[in-house]
Amino acid sequence: MSSITPLIALGQVAEPASRTPLVIIGIYMCVLFGLGWISSRLFRGSSKDFFVASHSIGPFMLLMSVFGTTMTAFALVGSTGKAFSLGIGVYGLMASSSGLIHAACFFLVGIRMWSFGKKYGYVTQIQFFRDRFESKKLGYLLFPILAGLIIPYLLVGLIGAGTYIGGVTRGMFPGTFAAGAVPGWLTGLVICGVVLFYVFSGGVRSAVWANTFQTIVFMIMGLVGFIVIAKGIGGLAEASEMTRQHAPEKLVREGLMTPAHFMSYMLVPLSVGMFPHLFQHWLTAKSAKAFRLTVIAHPLCIMIVWVPCILIGIWGAGLFADGSLFVPKLPNGEPNANAVLSMMVKKFMVNPVLIGLFSAGVLAAIMSSLDSQFVCVGSMFTNDFALPLFGSERFSDTQKVWLGRGFIVFIVVITYVISIFKPMSVFNLGIWCFSGFSALFPIAFAAVYWKRVTTAGVFASVIATAVTWALFIHDALGRAAGEQWFGVKAHGEYLIAGVMPVAFICLASVVALVGVSLATKPPTSETIDKFFPAKG
Amino acid sequence: MKKVVYGLLILLAVIHQDVWWWDNGELVFGFMPLGLFYHSLYSCMAAAVWAMAVKWAWPGDIEQWAESGDEAGGEQ
């Protein structure tokens, strides 16, 4: 089964492991630098090009950039770890539901948002909301909330990358770092540096180029890695048989989740309809037709990435239960689910070149999200905070680009520091972040389909979302186990009345949005005419 | 056809809740747990239904409106 010695399996390394994987990762980073440099040659120097690539992106690059943006450490490191804990049901929780819901958001909301962006020249989501809901103040309320929700999303990437590289480099630097592994702070520093470089070079255009390249890399390497790991265990059938023998509960959902819990997860993928970085990617599209490929192929791309990860996760559970897989422990004594993917790679990929390529693929998935999020926070700061506050005429186009860059660095430093001191489950952190965005989705939907929605209703919805989200996250993470006010913790999840908190946060958001809108004055006819053009 | 497409999308949302093999750990093709196999097929079905949506329920009117000429927006 494995050619790795028991000593290494126990984490007590006898001699330094090969550093070839790090060399490969280094080469990959250099390629990204090169790509950043090339795309910067195409950068037109205008803020419109920096923020929305002058609406020039075609169908294939739109698919790759949108898909790459939605797949982060959550999809590779998080899904493998969650399947290790919760079994095969994790695919239904997030992947198959996303195939339906994500594509629905692109089709029903994305195309309309793109059309308004194209027609009226919006660069960010908040600009659209400010116009649609006739309120400048709404921008000042939404900006800190959306930027604040992006921070946990960035954390997902940094923590996932740090844990993965820590696992895969274990034993490479004995005496230099703990367990001879590259520490998370160093991994975070390097990937932030590389992504900042290419994002600064060409803005969203660089991000789209890099996303396309990185999405192809992680999809191919993911499949190659899956085949190698399966072969290392002894074959697909043997791998699953081992899980059936030692961790049979991971092959079913009974005992690990309930139908109500499973169903409530369907609300989580609604978050893509409200991601500000995805809105920005939508705006890069050359035409509405560019969305067609994204809508159709997105569910298939998710399947290609997630099915191997889920299988690796449940195989890891079987091997762990059998005692033949080492997984580092968390301070509470539980196995660190975030480390499962790297431990499986370390154990079953013998060829260091292959380990390096696969690891580059994992980092590609992570960086392909970070870049879009970086550009997005910069865009929001410039267009939704600084310009409305100080006046657009006060800044030249170049200064606008530099304002965005400055804020990106500010947010990246904050996120980086948090990632070092407050690591937590990549999957759970992602779910909390997505839950906040999901609860704001009714606002995006109402903005394009409901003429009667009012400014006051939107304010009420945003406040209801912020309050319930903060209350539940404090209850789940800030209080000792067993002392929760609203929910209970089961199988590593925080559930209220047996369902995910997102159900109640969404409910509060919708009730506030609809109730207050119906009780307040309808929007002006000018606004309705502007955003609901007559058909034909 | 538009109504058929929307009907199929609702059906997809319903059949996502596959409680009927909640505790069935059978391995399809000798390695794929049944629940995972079903949801993989589900992803393929979703892609097929979205292809139908693109063909028969495409919002051509809004596309045409957007591409009929740019206008200056609000406060950018």
Side-chain angles (χ1 to χ4, degrees), chain A residues 153-167:
Chain A
Y153 204 168
L154 291 170
L155 274 172
V156 167
L158 291 186
I159 295 171
T163 314
Y164 176 82
I165 292 296

Side-chain angles (χ1 to χ4, degrees), chain A residues 91 96 119 130 240 253, chain B residues 18 31 39 43 68 71 75:
Chain A
Y91 186 87
S96 56
K119 191 84 174 171
R130 276 203 340 245
S240 293
R253 280 161 282 177
Chain B
D18 60 325
F31 78 97
H39 278 276
S43 296
S68 63
E71 287 177 21
E75 296 175 63

Side-chain angles (χ1 to χ4, degrees), chain A residues 172-455:
Chain A
M172 285 186 191
F173 301 95
T176 309
F177 299 121
V182 173
W185 65 263
L186 185 56
T187 304
L189 197 64
V190 171
I191 65 167
C192 283
V194 172
V195 175
L196 280 175
F197 171 80
Y198 70 77
V199 161
F200 278 15
S201 301
V204 78
R205 183 186 298 281
S206 283
V208 169
W209 276 51
N211 272 0
T212 302
F213 172 67
Q214 301 207 88
T215 304
I216 293 168
V217 169
F218 82 69
M219 288 179 82
I220 293 173
M221 289 319 302
L223 286 175
V224 171
F226 170 71
I227 292 164
V228 172
I229 288 173
K231 205 173 163 192
I233 300 174
L236 293 168
E238 286 73 9
S240 293
E241 189 53 41
M242 172 157 281
T243 303
R244 199 217 292 261
Q245 282 176 19
H246 301 286
E249 72 282 4
K250 309 293 182 194
L251 301 178
V252 295
R253 280 161 282 177
E254 186 65 44
L256 295 173
M257 58 188 74
T258 65
H261 173 201
F262 187 78
M263 188 189 287
S264 64
Y265 249 96
M266 274 199 106
L267 293 170
V268 177
L270 285 174
S271 51
V272 301
M274 197 57 202
F275 282 161
H277 51 285
L278 212 54
F279 179 92
Q280 202 162 358
H281 273 295
W282 291 341
L283 291 191
T284 64
K286 193 189 287 181
S287 69
K289 289 184 182 64
F291 279 83
R292 290 179 175 177
L293 183 63
T294 302
V295 169
I296 297 168
H298 192 77
L300 299 176
C301 290
I302 293 176
M303 183 183 74
I304 290 168
V305 171
W306 276 69
V307 167
C309 289
I310 300 296
L311 284 171
I312 291 171
I314 62 165
W315 294 343
L319 292 163
F320 180 74
D322 175 48
S324 47
L325 179 74
F326 165 75
V327 179
K329 284 190 165 48
L330 292 167
N332 65 9
E334 293 287 313
N336 183 355
N338 290 347
V340 172
L341 180 62
S342 58
M343 289 296 109
M344 290 291 279
V345 169
K346 185 102 177 144
K347 189 170 173 69
F348 295 109
M349 273 192 195
V350 183
N351 187 329
V353 174
L354 203 56
I355 294 176
L357 289 171
F358 183 80
S359 302
V362 173
L363 292 182
I366 292 167
M367 292 192 291
S368 64
S369 299
L370 289 180
D371 52 15
S372 308
Q373 291 155 350
F374 284 5
V375 177
C376 173
V377 291
S379 310
M380 287 201 298
F381 177 74
T382 307
N383 298 291
D384 303 326
F385 184 77
L387 298 189
L389 197 64
F390 301 110
S392 180
E393 318 75 41
R394 188 164 166 178
F395 303 100
S396 69
D397 222 29
T398 311
Q399 283 173 323
K400 287 177 191 168
V401 171
W402 276 104
L403 269 177
R405 286 173 174 163
F407 191 71
I408 291 171
V409 172
F410 173 71
I411 289 289
V412 169
V413 169
I414 290 177
T415 310
Y416 175 70
V417 171
I418 299 173
S419 76
I420 295 170
F421 294 106
K422 189 74 179 166
M424 63 179 290
S425 160
V426 162
F427 195 93
N428 291 352
L429 186 62
I431 292 300
W432 277 110
C433 162
F434 300 157
S435 298
F437 282 114
S438 296
L440 294 173
F441 174 75
I443 296 173
F445 190 81
V448 294
Y449 286 105
W450 192 32
K451 293 177 183 175
R452 186 65 179 75
V453 64
T454 67
T455 314

Side-chain angles (χ1 to χ4, degrees), chain A residues 98-108 292 294-299, chain B residues 5-6 9 12 43-56 58:
Chain A
S98 295
L100 179 67
I101 306 287
H102 284 188
C105 290
F106 303 154
F107 188 81
L108 298 173
R292 290 179 175 177
T294 302
V295 169
I296 297 168
H298 192 77
Chain B
V5 169
Y6 286 125
L9 289 171
L12 271 181
S43 296
C44 299
M45 286 189 285
V49 174
W50 283 118
M52 293 167 72
V54 162
K55 176 122 177 99
W56 288 302
W58 186 254

